[in-house]
Amino acid sequence: MVYTDETDETHEGVVLSNAVVTSRVIMGLERFKPDSTIFADEAVLRDGYRPDQLIERDNELKQYQSALKPVINGAPPKNLFLYGQTGVGKTLSSRMIIERLDEDQQNLDDVDVHFAELNCKSLNSSYQVAANLINEFREPEEQIKPTGYPSGMIYTMLFEELEKLDATHCLVVLDEIDAIGNDDDILYKLPRANDNGNVRDTSVGVIGISNDFTFRDNLSARVKDSLCDEEIHFPPYDANELGNILKQRASEAFHDTTASQLDNGAFELSSDILEDDVIPLCAAFAAQDSGSARQALKLLYKAGDMARDEESDCITEEHVRRADEAVERDKVREELGRLPTQSKLTLYGLLLLEQESALPAKRNRIYERYVLAAKRIDADVRTDRTIHNRLSQLTLKGFLDVREQNKGPKGGSYYEYEFSIRADIVRDVLQGDSRLQELFDGIDGDMTLDKF
Ligand SMILES: Nc1ncnc2c1ncn2[C@@H]1O[C@H](COP(=O)(O)OP(=O)(O)O)[C@@H](O)[C@H]1O
Ligand SMILES: [Mg+2]
């Protein structure tokens, strides 16, 4: 293919060069062009977008604000624990409340609140949270390394930072704190910093936020006592609530779409872009599955994306259904990707059997193939019993189906496994894992294990 130079603009993208007629459109790639008749501002559907209004959370906000009232009165803050599944507005509520508190404290002479916010998603111990908090307080040139100090010392340093603050109060927001698992020391030490005499000049309050219910149930008794002066539960949204959140957001995201709020708080939508069933359907899908506003917004965004790609004038119910399937597939992929190597090797065993059209299969056949695969990549070879447990876990997670086979009175019974999701998705995800690469080394990524 000959790429011509860019000087000749007169031929509308087609120029003559060396007697070869060449289109300047790069083969197979469409041109980028500004769209669209669908989106006015798609960024408002993205996860990072911060709306002005929190919808359908009046009770939780009231409880939250009232729990922080002592601060504004100059009293020691309460420690709060917020919990609820992902996507139910915990982070957004916290941000809004803190902004409001920050704004209102400006008018008060004898209260000066400092805020420290930390997302703990990738921090898996109290130590790491403490170290990262210290760095939140420090200037860039004074940052500490996140490892290597004795744990007593890291807390002393943290208390020093709090003591040093030129503020009457410090509120520490620890979002997604469930990441620290059982190692919850900091959730005792920090809320008790004043009571235990570690910090005197600054009143310290902790707001812990968790996506995980089991984390709350498993907090040690002393943490429950100190962190949970007040607990605020964020329940999943129902379809109606999700519908209102979506309508408000849709009015900003799509062309020719307006939403008006009625006296009872509900929203009414009028749109040339969204067919009537679109929002109710997005809301219903998300409500059935998780009650997460994040999921509902993602679905609406994806449906819009599909409509745009197809250059359709509007978003239809059909777009939403297909978007739902796509979102579901992405979720499965993500969950598969996070599995430990041993589980992936087990799945690889099933993939081989699938290739041989030998599924469903008994556990010993899966195990034979698992062993070869594990050896091939130099992974530990676990016992048959362990792999049995893996198979049960994979079944529980919804990746496999198991059924019991009865061979009559004498034959006894046994279990057979097969995929309950599409094998090509499993294959794709495993192939993307660098540790398993070698297992796909054949021509065209053919799965290769000698002997089979
Ligand atoms: N009540 C609400 N009103 C408007 N948008 C909301 C509401 N609740 C959640 N959202 C949106 O849903 C997404 C997830 O909310 P977020 O606060 O991050 O959830 P969580 O922290 O509970 O996982 C964000 O994009 C947020 O803007
Ligand atoms: Mg959050």
Side-chain angles (χ1 to χ4, degrees):
M1 166 135 199
V2 179
Y3 288 96
T4 59
D5 72 35
E6 304 274 326
T7 52
D8 190 346
E9 295 296 343
T10 55
H11 290 79
E12 295 285 11
V14 181
V15 294
L16 292 173
S17 168
N18 297 337
V20 179
V21 178
T22 314
S23 162
R24 299 227 320 273
V25 175
I26 297 172
M27 299 272 288
L29 266 190
E30 266 179 51
R31 284 180 179 280
F32 286 101
K33 47 183 187 264
D35 39 49
S36 94
T37 52
I38 299 279
F39 291 110
D41 182 4
E42 62 187 284
V44 307
L45 297 175
R46 297 223 181 103
D47 209 31
Y49 180 75
R50 158 87 159 70
D52 298 330
Q53 194 185 355
L54 190 79
I55 296 157
E56 302 283 7
R57 278 300 185 222
D58 293 351
N59 290 339
E60 290 76 13
L61 286 182
K62 210 174 278 167
Q63 205 185 343
Y64 202 159
Q65 264 193 305
S66 119
L68 292 178
K69 253 202 188 122
V71 177
I72 232 59
N73 295 323
K78 290 185 185 176
N79 296 298
L80 310 182
F81 185 64
L82 270 59
Y83 65 102
Q85 283 156 32
T86 168
V88 294
K90 303 180 300 297
T91 301
L92 180 60
S93 306
S94 287
R95 292 256 158 81
M96 286 182 152
I97 294 258
I98 276 167
E99 268 171 39
R100 170 53 58 85
L101 183 59
D102 197 18
E103 206 177 295
D104 293 345
Q105 65 145 338
Q106 312 287 340
N107 307 320
L108 303 172
D109 293 336
D110 40 6
V111 177
D112 189 357
V113 190
H114 183 96
F115 298 95
E117 288 182 69
L118 188 64
N119 188 305
C120 305
K121 199 195 305 199
S122 57
L123 309 174
N124 52 28
S125 66
S126 277
Y127 178 99
Q128 286 182 5
V129 172
N132 279 273
L133 267 179
I134 292 170
N135 285 338
E136 285 289 309
F137 290 113
R138 292 194 172 189
E139 299 297 327
E141 60 277 11
E142 293 177 330
Q143 302 274 304
I144 61 165
K145 293 211 189 76
T147 52
Y149 296 89
S151 84
M153 190 165 160
I154 207 91
Y155 286 116
T156 308
M157 286 157 80
L158 178 58
F159 294 143
E160 276 170 14
E161 294 299 328
L162 288 161
E163 191 77 85
K164 267 197 324 220
L165 284 175
D166 190 14
T168 55
H169 294 75
C170 181
L171 285 182
V172 181
V173 183
L174 300 174
D175 202 351
E176 309 199 33
I177 187 64
D178 36 296
I180 64 171
N182 292 330
D183 176 11
D184 58 10
D185 216 21
I186 189 142
L187 295 181
Y188 168 74
K189 292 240 165 60
L190 211 48
R192 285 269 186 244
N194 295 130
D195 291 350
N196 292 345
N198 296 118
V199 178
R200 291 171 202 282
D201 290 343
T202 314
S203 289
V204 180
V206 178
I207 300 171
I209 307 176
S210 168
N211 288 332
D212 180 352
F213 284 87
T214 57
F215 178 73
R216 168 176 170 269
D217 296 339
N218 293 334
L219 287 173
S220 58
R222 62 177 199 154
V223 168
K224 262 190 199 141
D225 273 354
S226 29
L227 176 64
C228 308
D229 290 334
E230 191 104 33
E231 288 188 322
I232 308 178
H233 176 223
F234 283 66
Y237 295 110
D238 65 25
N240 202 15
E241 294 167 328
L242 289 173
N244 285 324
I245 294 171
L246 289 176
K247 283 178 198 166
Q248 192 282 329
R249 208 66 76 91
S251 69
E252 297 180 26
F254 300 109
H255 284 299
D256 301 322
T257 303
T258 52
S260 44
Q261 196 164 15
L262 308 174
D263 288 342
N264 65 6
F267 281 80
E268 212 170 52
L269 196 76
S270 126
S271 175
D272 295 340
I273 300 290
L274 303 173
E275 284 192 349
D276 286 349
D277 285 342
V278 166
I279 287 201
L281 199 59
C282 288
F285 278 147
Q288 268 163 30
D289 188 40
S290 63
S292 152
R294 180 176 291 121
Q295 185 184 357
L297 286 162
K298 196 170 176 178
L299 193 53
L300 181 60
Y301 191 10
K302 190 113 194 167
D305 231 356
M306 286 180 166
R308 167 170 56 189
D309 284 352
E310 293 164 14
E311 300 183 8
S312 160
D313 296 334
C314 61
I315 307 175
T316 64
E317 188 186 317
E318 163 71 14
H319 287 128
V320 178
R321 292 192 187 280
R322 276 194 280 130
D324 185 56
E325 275 165 29
V327 168
E328 191 55 36
R329 255 196 322 272
D330 288 352
K331 211 161 86 188
V332 169
R333 270 174 191 280
E334 214 173 276
E335 283 168 16
L336 278 172
R338 277 202 304 266
L339 289 174
T341 304
Q342 289 290 336
S343 298
K344 287 182 178 165
L345 287 169
T346 310
L347 288 174
Y348 184 83
L350 275 115
L351 274 183
L352 285 174
L353 288 158
E354 154 93 16
Q355 194 170 264
E356 300 160 31
S357 306
L359 287 182
K362 285 161 76 169
R363 152 178 140 210
N364 60 350
R365 303 205 67 200
I366 299 169
Y367 185 69
E368 285 166 1
R369 283 152 182 84
Y370 154 81
V371 171
L372 286 177
K375 282 186 178 153
R376 169 76 78 90
I377 67 158
D378 285 333
D380 289 343
V381 178
R382 300 284 157 81
T383 60
D384 179 42
R385 181 92 228 135
T386 312
I387 296 311
H388 183 197
N389 289 339
R390 296 266 165 196
L391 287 168
S392 306
Q393 281 168 17
L394 291 166
T395 308
L396 270 177
K397 284 181 194 258
F399 299 132
L400 302 181
D401 275 333
V402 61
R403 66 176 111 128
E404 193 174 358
Q405 292 288 2
N406 264 313
K407 289 281 164 194
K410 291 215 182 95
S413 68
Y414 58 87
Y415 291 107
E416 282 189 337
Y417 297 86
E418 65 185 330
F419 289 117
S420 69
I421 55 176
R422 275 171 35 199
D424 61 314
I425 298 180
V426 179
R427 181 194 163 107
D428 226 42
V429 171
L430 298 194
Q431 202 164 1
D433 183 329
S434 55
R435 265 211 89 183
L436 304 190
Q437 202 73 70
E438 224 178 303
L439 298 174
F440 295 90
D441 267 354
I443 298 162
D444 291 335
D446 265 353
M447 293 180 289
T448 51
L449 275 189
D450 313 329
K451 268 181 77 169
F452 290 106

